[in-house]
Structures are given as C-alpha cells and as structure tokens.
Amino acid sequence: MFQKHNTIEKIKALKSNSGSHSPSIDTLKVSCPEIKIDIDACFLSNPYATELFMDHLRTDLISTEKLRSVLEFYPPQNAEVAKLISSAIGVSEKNIFVGNGAIEIIQAVIQAFVKKKICVIIPTFSSYYEFVGGDVEIIYYKLIKDHEFKLDVNHYMDFIKKHSPDAIVIINPNNPNGSYLSSDEIKYILNESTELGTVILDESFIHFAFEQDDYSQVSCEKLVNNYPNLVIIKSMSKDFGIAGLRAGYSVMEESRVKRLLSSGFLWNISGLANYFFTLYSNESFLKLYENLRKKYITETILFINELRSIQGIRVFPSKANFALIEIIDGRSSFDVFSKLLVNYNIYVRDCSDKIGLQGEFIRIASRTRSENDRIIKVLSEI
Amino acid sequence: MFQKHNTIEKIKALKSNSGSHSPSIDTLKVSCPEIKIDIDACFLSNPYATELFMDHLRTDLISTEKLRSVLEFYPPQNAEVAKLISSAIGVSEKNIFVGNGAIEIIQAVIQAFVKKKICVIIPTFSSYYEFVGGDVEIIYYKLIKDHEFKLDVNHYMDFIKKHSPDAIVIINPNNPNGSYLSSDEIKYILNESTELGTVILDESFIHFAFEQDDYSQVSCEKLVNNYPNLVIIKSMSKDFGIAGLRAGYSVMEESRVKRLLSSGFLWNISGLANYFFTLYSNESFLKLYENLRKKYITETILFINELRSIQGIRVFPSKANFALIEIIDGRSSFDVFSKLLVNYNIYVRDCSDKIGLQGEFIRIASRTRSENDRIIKVLSEI
C-alpha cells in the first residue's frame, strides 16, 4: 500500500515535469520501474498500422541488411521527401513541407506566419498556444460542454470577425474531444475567412473520421489550391502508429514552403522516416493500410459505444480514435488515471492540465480489440 | 560514352538542386539508377562506429523485438534525453539542448541568439550563413590558402574587435579543410571575446582531433561554465556514423536552453536517436567506441599521408576525418568528382560551391582501410 502511494507521488511529479503533456512510456519506465504498462491508451494511434509498418520494415530493411545504410547516411533533403508525399496525396511537391513530426511543423508555422493575434479553440493540443511567440496575442474560443464540445461554425465565425485575429487554428477531429467538422463546415469557415492571414487546419486525426458509410478517407488537403491562406498539418504518428519515427508534413502555398526552407529544415527527418514515406507513396502498402484503417474505425466505434454503457462517466461524441470522458461519480481525474495505471497497468490521459475543461476528464484511446475489451472490463469494475 | 555524358549532366542538375550541399546517396540512386556507389567518401563519418552501433541495435532491439515500441511510441522529451547526455559528458543537464542533428541546433541557435551581426570564417559549412535571419548582417573572415587555411588567432581577434559582431562561429576542426585550433587557442579566443554576445563553437569533428600522442579526446564542453556566451554544437553523425538517425546536442548557458525549450523542440529526436543516447551514456559502449575511434584516427593519418604522395594534387593539413584537396594539374573539381563517381563508383565532395575557396577543390573523407586503399589507388591512376 505504501509502495503504491509512493508510486502515485512519483507519477504526480513526473506529470508536472512533463508540462502539458504526458510523460513518455520510456520516461515513466526509467523513473518508476515498478510500473508495468500493459495497455498504452494515452498514445493515440492505430496499433494495426504499426504492425503493418513493422512487417514491411522487417522484409525490406532488416532481413536484407539495408537497415545499416538507412541509419548511417544522410536522409534526402526536405524537398526530395516532398516528392514522395506528393505522389501519395496528389498535391504538388511545391506545396509540401516535410516535418520532424507534426509538432515541428506547428512550431515552424506558428512562428513564421502568425504576426499579431491567433485564435485557438479550447480544449486543444497545448503546443498551439505554448509555442506562440511572445509578441503574439492569443485569444481562446471555448467549446461548450453542454453542446458536447461541438463547434458551432456560425457562432465561431462571428467571434472571429469580432476579434480579427490574423491566424486561426482548427484541429479536425479536435484533440482531446474528437468532435468533427464536416468538409462542408470546413469549406464554410474557409469561405468566411478569406481575409485572414493564415488558417491552420490540423488533420492529424482525419484518417479516423468519415462521412460515408464505407469509411472512405476525407481530407481538405487539395483545397490548398483554392485557399492560399490555408495551411494543413498532418501527423503520421497517429494513423500509421509510428510516433517514434517523427514524421509529418504540411500542405501550404508554395511561397510559404520556400520561406520555411530558406530558413532551415534541411535534413529534418530521419532515414527511417524517409523509408516510411517511400511506403506512403507505394500503392500496395496503402491498399493494405486502408483495410486496417477501416477495421480500426469499426472497432473504435464499437469501443466508444461500449464506453457509453458504463455508469459514472459521460462519453463525448468523437470521430477520432479516442474518447473524452468526464468522471461524474465524484472522483478526480487523477484518481481514476493513477488507479488505472498502478492497479491495472492501463495508461490513459489525465486531462486535468487541459485549459478549457471544467470538470474531471480523462481521454482514452482505442487500441486493439482485446485491449479495448480489457479497458471496458476494468472501467466497468471501478 | 553517350550514356556517361548523360549521367554527368544529370549529376550536375542534381547538385544544383541540392543547394550548397551534396545530394544524398538515396537521392542520387533514385535520379541516376545507373550510378553505383561503392565508396561514399563524401559523407564524413567513422564507419567502424556505425558497425558498433549496428551490433548493439541488433542485440538490444532487433533480436529482442523491442524495436517495435521504439518506433511506435513517442520518444522522451528534450529535457529527459539531456539527462542521458549529461551523464556521458559530465555537464549539467540544465546546460544541454538536444537537437535533431546538429543542423537543427545551428538553425535554432543562429535564429534565437544572433541579433545584428555574425562573423563566419570561410570556407565553412554553408548553413552557418544560409540560415541567418534577414535582419542580421554576415561578415566573412577568410582563411588564407597560402597559410594552409590555418586560422591566425591574433589576426582573427583584431578583425573581430574591428568589426564588433555580436556573434562569431568557429568550427573546430574546420569543415571543409580540417584545420585545428588547440584548446589553448580556443581559450585565448574565448578570453578575448567576453564582450561578445555569442561564441558558437562547432565541435562536430572534435572526436577525430587530438593533442596527445595517445589520441585522447579533446573538447571544450566543460568551458561553458566559465564562459556564459559560449555555445558548443555537437553532431553525432560523424563520430558515431549515424547521420540517418539525426542526433546532436548543444551545451550552453541554462537560460539559453530554457529559452529554446519554451519555443518548442519538444519531441525533436526519434526513438532510435534516443536509443543511441542511452548507448552514449553507457560506459561499456563508450569503451568499445573509444578503441574504434583511435583505430580510425590512426588509419586517417595514414590515409592523409598517402594522399600527399599523389602528384597533381595539394593536400591541406587536417585533424578531422577528411582532407581538402586542391587539383593543380589543370582539371576542374567537377571533372575529377564526376570521373571518380561515374568511372570508379567513388563519391567525393566537389567543393566548387564553397565560398572562400579560389581554385579547384574536392574534399575526401577517410573510410575503412580497404576503401582508403582503393581511393589512393584510383587517385594515383587518374
């Protein structure tokens, strides 16, 4: 009992040292070796896609001994990698900026293109306000719990017109709640925002969203040709389950790509991330991926529905691969978070550091079917 | 013959698309599949260290199946990785900033800490002037061929005092010529530069330099406690032969680390780069590395001496793992470079794009003993 109490205190300290993010699994293991993590439902990724990537890596690089040259030599420059992505998404390479994870792109885009005032929708991914330069004013547009954290686009656009920021950020689906804006809603916002300097649209979770019954992919990447102020940011960590690789890209006006590349970002992805992008531009890989993406969506929908049947919690609507959950039985989010971790080896996201959330919230990612079943079982028990 | 001519034209175009750097091997292979590269003497690394890293990787991650979690999950945050480096170099983690390769650090440091005027010694690594912000003036201090490109520290300090930059850059040993400043010379410069805002000392090639007969390591990293304006930049790509991993670090005053981390750089290295830093903080790995470092220095000295015996070229003194070579038989550097590549599958660095070099120069890296022998044989023939 004392041991467990000690562990919980250590986790508290670790969380506070990690700022507004969760400590990585590696950091947790080093600091609290007594903790065992069986299920990482803090990290938001498709585990089936990780396995697909690993299969290719084993066949292409490990068993052929080609891995050495991928690790030994310099990777191609940014603009070379952009060509691979161009062939995958059907957008000119001149509009593509490659990033060392989406987070490098967030940092670069916010610091290069936001001049005076940025509007951030909260709750959100904290880097969108933490990395903003000191001279830039941040205004917050708050999603309403009573509206299930769904953005009311008309109300939002009134707010934007009233406050005249030069940049706005929309994450779609939003993190940490998963609420989704349809392509039509995004187009409405873009049409109403043509006077704005920069519209940042983060589609890091878009592969888990859908508008058709067949779950076919939705994305606004191609709209960059119609809206020169649109900057789309795309992480590869979530949909392909490869956060350790650090790979992302951004689609934006050609002059913006040029401006960023003239200031650096030369060899900013690793040889393995470049290898991933060669797969990303490979049709047969994408076909296999597409099946796993749809399988994972099916299981995620089931998981979120099962969460809804558990008493003492409120589950918010999500078209991402996670659900935001409010604890409504009087316990704190840290209490539930640490109990899941220490007693059940399940790692979820305590959202107590998220601005814009009043109440006790945790975020749980969908994992494999069997992991999801275990999460449902444990949550039902406690 | 026509085929070869075509290939040479393609290489010319590739080089011009790669700016002031060489196209990566991967880029070359994609664009000129007819080219075979047997020896990459453009890339400046210790190939024995690469093999040591690969051995550990196979044992620790591949055969244990732990590789998946390194690639799947987020790596630790910057400040966590700094702790590993701290234990390796004996400098407080608060003084360490981790970079996605030295080049990310060059970009970050130059853009965050240089205000008005920077002095760059030429010839140099081009990013030191290319990534400088538009408002900053660049002044060049030119190394003299007749002095074998060795920096005269007194003359240099007179120049600095006359022009009053707020930042200076010294690469030691210098790239692309390998000239070395002793620890005493560096201390002299630091003592004369206490009024300067920032002294950037790039020690990316320092593991190949030595002052004692036993080749023991030299470094000014610990001086950061005595000189608050000192910023040391260290690539891991060269000494450990892992450019594809993108790993580097910088040692600087605590407030500078804090300033950089407050603006981003959160998860800026990959899981594999983090794995490398766990090895870097491991004594038994470092002991094995140290033997290979000394073996490689021995062979590099031999290689450079053998280069000197070849007619038609002039080899400049180097304490790095490469030699700058002037072609003095009337041929152009591109001619020699492309002949080595197309006819002999040896990739070297054509320095015709390097500012501060008058004449025809190529740079050749030392590789394994047998590769060096082959380079000597081919150069003697042509």
Side-chain angles (χ1 to χ4, degrees), chain A residues 98-355:
Chain A
V98 183
N100 184 40
I103 200 157
E104 182 187 47
I105 303 170
I106 294 172
Q107 179 183 347
V109 163
I110 283 187
Q111 289 167 13
F113 303 132
V114 184
K115 307 290 172 213
K116 290 183 181 163
K117 197 194 275 190
I118 186 168
C119 178
V120 177
I121 297 167
I122 54 173
T124 189
F125 182 63
S126 60
S127 299
Y128 276 111
Y129 52 87
E130 287 173 345
F131 293 173
V132 169
D135 303 337
V136 176
E137 185 190 349
I138 306 168
I139 53 171
Y140 297 100
Y141 179 87
K142 202 173 161 185
L143 297 175
I144 311 290
K145 185 160 79 175
D146 287 348
H147 298 172
E148 297 193 307
F149 299 118
K150 161 82 185 168
L151 186 79
D152 176 332
V153 290
N154 288 302
H155 187 266
Y156 174 68
M157 283 317 306
D158 288 345
F159 180 89
I160 296 302
K161 281 170 188 167
K162 188 177 155 203
H163 289 88
S164 303
D166 61 310
I168 62 175
V169 180
I170 295 164
I171 310 180
N172 194 37
N174 193 39
N175 180 6
N177 61 307
S179 64
Y180 177 68
L181 295 169
S182 70
S183 305
D184 287 342
E185 286 172 308
I186 294 288
K187 277 180 206 157
Y188 173 80
I189 292 173
L190 287 170
N191 286 330
E192 294 289 311
S193 303
T194 51
E195 302 293 308
L196 252 81
T198 305
V199 176
I200 299 170
L201 178 62
D202 185 332
E203 292 196 334
S204 290
F205 298 96
I206 201 78
H207 277 205
F208 309 121
F210 54 90
E211 298 188 7
Q212 307 295 327
D213 290 345
D214 66 354
Y215 304 156
S216 56
Q217 283 191 35
V218 281
S219 166
C220 293
E221 285 170 346
K222 291 201 170 72
L223 293 182
V224 81
N225 294 317
N226 307 102
Y227 301 94
N229 60 352
L230 177 61
V231 173
I232 292 181
I233 297 181
K234 185 82 189 75
S235 164
M236 302 280 104
S237 301
K238 287 82 183 174
D239 30 24
F240 291 93
I242 49 164
L245 250 59
R246 316 307 301 119
Y249 65 84
S250 182
V251 178
M252 58 179 87
E253 205 192 3
E254 183 178 348
S255 65
R256 293 182 191 252
V257 175
K258 279 190 181 155
R259 159 118 186 254
L260 290 177
L261 292 184
S262 72
S263 70
F265 307 102
L266 189 64
W267 293 298
N268 63 337
I269 65 161
S270 69
L272 272 189
N274 178 61
Y275 166 69
F276 165 76
F277 281 122
T278 64
L279 293 178
Y280 191 56
S281 65
N282 174 316
E283 267 183 52
S284 70
F285 173 83
L286 286 183
K287 209 166 162 184
L288 295 167
Y289 165 72
E290 197 56 14
N291 291 336
L292 297 176
R293 186 182 70 83
K294 291 182 178 179
K295 170 185 170 164
Y296 180 59
I297 290 177
T298 312
E299 294 183 6
T300 299
I301 294 171
L302 183 68
F303 176 59
I304 293 177
N305 281 336
E306 287 172 342
L307 285 172
R308 284 185 209 287
S309 68
I310 297 172
Q311 292 198 321
I313 61 172
R314 177 179 178 191
V315 180
F316 290 86
S318 170
K319 272 201 173 171
N321 62 332
F322 52 82
L324 183 70
I325 292 172
E326 187 178 11
I327 320 282
I328 50 175
D329 68 353
R331 281 188 288 184
S332 76
S333 59
F334 182 78
D335 187 35
V336 175
F337 156 80
S338 56
K339 194 161 191 178
L340 285 172
L341 181 57
V342 178
N343 295 2
Y344 299 94
N345 310 323
I346 296 172
Y347 191 38
V348 303
R349 178 69 157 86
D350 171 14
C351 293
S352 54
D353 57 355
K354 286 271 175 198
I355 62 171

Side-chain angles (χ1 to χ4, degrees), chain A residues 51 68 71 111 244 263 271, chain B residues 51 68 71 111 244 246 263 271:
Chain A
E51 199 49 50
R68 176 181 164 140
L71 304 183
Q111 289 167 13
S263 70
Chain B
E51 198 51 49
R68 175 179 165 142
L71 304 184
Q111 288 166 13
R246 315 309 301 122
S263 70

Side-chain angles (χ1 to χ4, degrees), chain A residues 14 17-19 21-27 29 31 40 43-48 50-51 53-54 57-58 62 65 67-77 80 83 100 103-104 107 111 125 127 130-132 235 237-238 241-246 260-272 274 278 367, chain B residues 14 17-19 21-27 29 31 40 43-48 50-51 53-54 57-58 62 65 67-77 80 83 100 103-104 107 111 125 127 130-132 235 237-238 241-246 260-272 274 278 367:
Chain A
L14 268 184
N17 285 337
S18 302
H21 301 279
S22 296
S24 79
I25 289 227
D26 201 69
T27 303
K29 276 183 190 158
S31 305
D40 183 357
F43 172 48
L44 310 169
S45 83
N46 178 351
Y48 303 117
T50 310
E51 199 49 50
F53 173 74
M54 290 305 296
L57 181 74
R58 285 183 205 108
I62 295 179
E65 300 275 333
L67 183 62
R68 176 181 164 140
S69 67
V70 171
L71 304 183
E72 180 173 18
F73 299 117
Y74 275 84
Q77 295 182 15
E80 288 297 318
K83 291 179 189 170
N100 184 40
I103 200 157
E104 182 187 47
Q107 179 183 347
Q111 289 167 13
F125 182 63
S127 299
E130 287 173 345
F131 293 173
V132 169
S235 164
S237 301
K238 287 82 183 174
I242 49 164
L245 250 59
R246 316 307 301 119
L260 290 177
L261 292 184
S262 72
S263 70
F265 307 102
L266 189 64
W267 293 298
N268 63 337
I269 65 161
S270 69
L272 272 189
N274 178 61
T278 64
R367 300 295 300 167
Chain B
L14 268 183
N17 284 338
S18 301
H21 302 278
S22 296
S24 79
I25 288 226
D26 201 68
T27 304
K29 275 182 190 159
S31 304
D40 183 358
F43 173 48
L44 310 168
S45 83
N46 177 350
Y48 302 118
T50 310
E51 198 51 49
F53 173 74
M54 290 304 297
L57 181 75
R58 283 184 206 107
I62 295 178
E65 299 275 334
L67 183 61
R68 175 179 165 142
S69 67
V70 170
L71 304 184
E72 180 174 18
F73 299 117
Y74 276 84
Q77 295 182 15
E80 288 297 318
K83 290 178 189 171
N100 183 41
I103 200 156
E104 183 186 46
Q107 180 183 346
Q111 288 166 13
F125 182 61
S127 298
E130 287 173 344
F131 292 172
V132 169
S235 164
S237 301
K238 286 83 183 177
I242 50 164
L245 250 59
R246 315 309 301 122
L260 290 177
L261 292 184
S262 73
S263 70
F265 306 103
L266 189 64
W267 293 298
N268 63 336
I269 65 162
S270 69
L272 271 190
N274 179 60
T278 64
R367 299 296 299 167

